[in-house]
């Protein structure tokens, strides 16, 4: 069956797919949603690997849950890392959200997860999860139990149709094959939003990201973030204020305001939230301006660790993506090569320089 | 001389001008800059009234002043109201920044300023200034010495060429004709940015807007705002978070960060600034969500005061501009009609309602 037939679209839709290579193999990712096909869908060696669907977010737990779920729903933890799909097409491949084969993530999942028995039994499934931990090329969020880099499964889907397994079946399957998965907080009814708010409050205290709520059959999803996650995202964005979209910033501010209203916060509580918010915005921005003033190039710092060849491959891949990579530290620890690098942001660096030199703006 | 010739452009450029009427007279405003003609330029009864030029802003006083001025410059106060040009084309007319004849402002300047002797002597000049005070249809900033609405001149220009008078000549002229003008803080050299920073600090303590710096011949301008003004603008924007552009928000945040760095603030000072900033963002947004939750329509409240006919005309004009005006209070005080109204924001009201009802967003 051809790609178009597998996807249920006309042949000319296929023209929207890019052409890339990984280890000499051609594959074709779709970096933006088109004609009803999810962003990140990939065509490779005759098979389709569907993109992970966008998960709707509610700004108000109570109303959002009632609006979204007719009956029981499951609450699982949403982690702060990057969305990864693992499929086996001859080799094991790890795809990013946009559909690129990431050599680093591929190396990590191959060397750390017991994938063989799973894919022997279920060759047409894809494992969908979050790659987390302090040592990866994309995110830096720390988890107490993750030293370097790790993977947590939050979904198992048919790779061609993207149909999900029911939640309980997926959790049993992962347990059986010894595959690590996200925490589950149990099942709730739509009138139990208060329970979910309590889960969010506990996650917030531990500076964790939030939750994804799912219908038991896995088809309906709804997400919600902690205040800690909103502030983290703002601090991240304002560390490179000219790189992140204005929408990114405003959406996080709105989440905070709706959360405060839903929790019925007192004046003192709103004020305390406002102070935390202000710090997340101003402090990283001031730090970035001072760095540029001191003659440095600002950017995001990441560390990667692994077999020397895999690390070399990962850095080459990032450079191929058009990123300006400055290696700050490159050393060997046991059999591993450990590289700390900065993804230089010329945009923020140059804009900040422009203003520091007295450049003006019409506004 | 035709309009095109007065403007030095080709005839077909004139097609970009809108057609409007005021008191039965047709006039043609240009609401957006085109072909090098300033936004707000107006064609009326054979004459051109040029738009007020955009004034560049610096985010860093010291570098901005050195970059912008070769020698001495004058520092005048920048007020928080709305830009108004007054010209006499048969009648006295007050134009908004975008080039619309505002009946309310026309009424205010005609009834409060001694314009006759000025325009008899200088029929081709336009008076450029800020309309300020708590009672006007556009802004609500309070000044201790302004009870209702008032006007302060910051520029006098040839209405066709927009050539400005030198600053000292303009100030003498305003004094001679008893026309109110913005405060002047004196003349400085480019290496005296420290003096300007001190002026800004004093204005900030009094919660005032900022300064405009000008070359003595009036042709070069550079503006800079106080932190109080930045916070005011954020509070204003976040009271209607879905109405104000994302650019508006981000630009104010950047101004705060650069100001903090230029002032070399300590960690405690940056933190205090961050707390104030957070309050300007979150508190009005939470208040707006609560208002919508209580079933109200949010919007900007304004009060206008004046002769009953003029007030009627002013409200009709705002409705013609497409604004949804809800009158909250309408009464007579002496000979004046005083109307308090809300410019209803259906955008913020509807979006907030959507999220309160559990509406989701893909982000």
């Amino acid at each position: 069956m051809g790609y178009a037939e597998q996807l249920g679209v006309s042949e000319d839709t296929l023209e929207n797919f890019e052409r890339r290579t990984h280890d000499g193999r051609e594959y074709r990712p779709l970096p933006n949603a088109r004609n009803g096909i999810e962003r990140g869908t990939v065509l490779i060696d005759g098979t389709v690997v569907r993109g992970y669907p966008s998960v709707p977010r509610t700004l108000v737990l109570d109303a959002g849950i009632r609006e979204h779920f007719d009956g029981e729903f499951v609450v699982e933890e949403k982690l702060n890392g990057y969305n990864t799909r693992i499929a086996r097409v001859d080799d094991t491949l790890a795809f990013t959200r946009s559909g690129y084969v990431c050599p680093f993530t591929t190396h990590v999942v191959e060397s750390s997860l017991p994938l063989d028995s799973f894919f022997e039994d279920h060759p047409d499934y894809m494992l969908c999860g979050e790659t987390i931990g302090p040592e990866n090329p994309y995110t830096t969020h720390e988890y107490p139990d993750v030293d370097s880099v790790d993977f947590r499964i939050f979904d198992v889907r048919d790779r061609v149709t993207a149909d999900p397994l029911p939640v309980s079946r997926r959790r049993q399957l992962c347990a059986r094959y010894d595959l690590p998965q996200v925490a589950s907080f149990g099942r709730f009814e739509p009138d139990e939003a208060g329970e979910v708010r309590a889960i969010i409050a506990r996650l917030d205290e531990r500076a964790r990201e939030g939750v994804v709520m799912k219908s038991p059959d896995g088809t309906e999803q709804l997400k919600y973030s902690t205040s800690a996650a909103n502030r983290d995202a703002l601090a991240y964005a304002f560390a490179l204020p000219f790189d992140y979209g204005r929408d990114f910033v405003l959406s996080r501010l709105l989440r905070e305001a709706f959360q405060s209203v839903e929790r019925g916060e007192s004046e003192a509580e709103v004020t305390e939230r406002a102070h935390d918010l202000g710090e997340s915005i101003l402090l990283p921005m001031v730090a970035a301006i001072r760095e540029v003033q001191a003659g440095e190039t600002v950017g995001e710092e990441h560390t990667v660790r692994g077999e020397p060849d895999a690390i070399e491959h990962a850095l080459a891949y990032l450079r191929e993506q058009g990123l300006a990579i400055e290696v700050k530290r490159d050393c060997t620890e046991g059999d591993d090569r450990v590289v700390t690098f900065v993804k230089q942001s010329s945009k923020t660096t140059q804009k900040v320089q422009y203003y520091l030199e007295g450049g003006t703006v019409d506004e």
Side-chain angles (χ1 to χ4, degrees), chain A residues 181-248:
Chain A
Q181 44 186 332
V182 296
S184 173
F185 300 110
R187 293 183 172 232
F188 301 89
E189 293 291 334
D191 61 1
E192 294 180 299
E195 305 285 317
V196 184
R197 265 203 301 279
I199 292 166
I200 288 288
R202 287 195 300 273
L203 288 172
D204 189 49
E205 279 165 24
R206 294 163 57 214
R208 314 265 305 197
E209 175 84 0
V211 299
V212 177
M213 295 161 273
K214 295 182 182 237
S215 58
D217 67 0
T219 56
E220 290 292 322
Q221 303 196 75
L222 185 65
K223 65 186 173 188
Y224 189 84
S225 298
T226 62
S227 179
N230 298 338
R231 290 196 310 269
D232 265 11
L234 286 168
Y236 175 77
F238 281 106
L240 298 172
F242 294 98
D243 282 70
Y244 288 93
R246 280 103 162 100
D247 287 347
F248 181 95

Side-chain angles (χ1 to χ4, degrees), chain A residues 42-270:
Chain A
V42 181
L43 316 178
I44 179 164
D45 290 340
T47 188
V48 166
V49 179
R50 284 295 271 260
Y52 196 76
S54 168
V55 178
R57 169 187 302 280
T58 185
L59 300 188
V60 178
L61 270 174
D62 191 55
I65 288 168
R66 285 174 199 276
E67 192 65 22
H68 218 75
F69 298 110
D70 289 332
E72 214 180 34
F73 61 95
V74 186
V75 180
E76 294 187 316
E77 185 170 6
K78 178 179 191 307
L79 296 169
N80 182 351
Y82 57 99
N83 184 295
T84 304
R85 284 162 293 144
I86 309 172
R88 182 160 286 184
V89 188
D90 297 332
D91 294 323
T92 299
L93 297 171
F95 298 93
T96 65
R97 187 86 199 225
S98 304
Y100 300 110
V101 177
C102 173
F104 176 79
T105 317
T106 298
H107 169 65
V108 166
V109 300
E110 264 192 313
S111 56
S112 65
L113 299 181
L115 297 172
D116 286 346
S117 51
F118 176 82
F119 280 121
E120 275 157 28
D121 295 349
H122 305 286
D124 297 335
Y125 283 171
M126 60 182 178
L127 298 170
C128 311
E130 198 82 355
T131 308
I132 57 170
E135 295 185 341
N136 74 64
Y138 308 113
T139 61
T140 54
H141 193 80
E142 298 259 357
Y143 283 95
D145 47 345
V146 182
D147 287 338
S148 172
V149 61
D150 221 330
F151 189 76
R152 299 284 183 276
I153 290 163
F154 52 65
D155 217 339
V156 177
R157 293 181 174 243
D158 182 284
R159 68 186 189 191
V160 176
T161 65
D163 288 338
L165 294 187
V167 177
S168 57
R169 163 109 177 97
R170 181 238 304 160
R171 296 197 71 91
Q172 284 158 10
L173 205 66
C174 288
R176 185 185 317 149
Y177 289 97
D178 208 19
L179 294 167
Q181 44 186 332
V182 296
S184 173
F185 300 110
R187 293 183 172 232
F188 301 89
E189 293 291 334
D191 61 1
E192 294 180 299
E195 305 285 317
V196 184
R197 265 203 301 279
I199 292 166
I200 288 288
R202 287 195 300 273
L203 288 172
D204 189 49
E205 279 165 24
R206 294 163 57 214
R208 314 265 305 197
E209 175 84 0
V211 299
V212 177
M213 295 161 273
K214 295 182 182 237
S215 58
D217 67 0
T219 56
E220 290 292 322
Q221 303 196 75
L222 185 65
K223 65 186 173 188
Y224 189 84
S225 298
T226 62
S227 179
N230 298 338
R231 290 196 310 269
D232 265 11
L234 286 168
Y236 175 77
F238 281 106
L240 298 172
F242 294 98
D243 282 70
Y244 288 93
R246 280 103 162 100
D247 287 347
F248 181 95
V249 165
L250 209 56
S251 66
R252 269 66 183 181
L253 298 174
L254 282 167
R255 291 177 199 171
E256 284 296 282
F258 277 95
Q259 185 171 97
S260 174
V261 170
E262 180 170 22
R263 293 168 65 111
E265 290 183 334
S266 67
E267 202 176 327
E269 286 167 326
V270 182

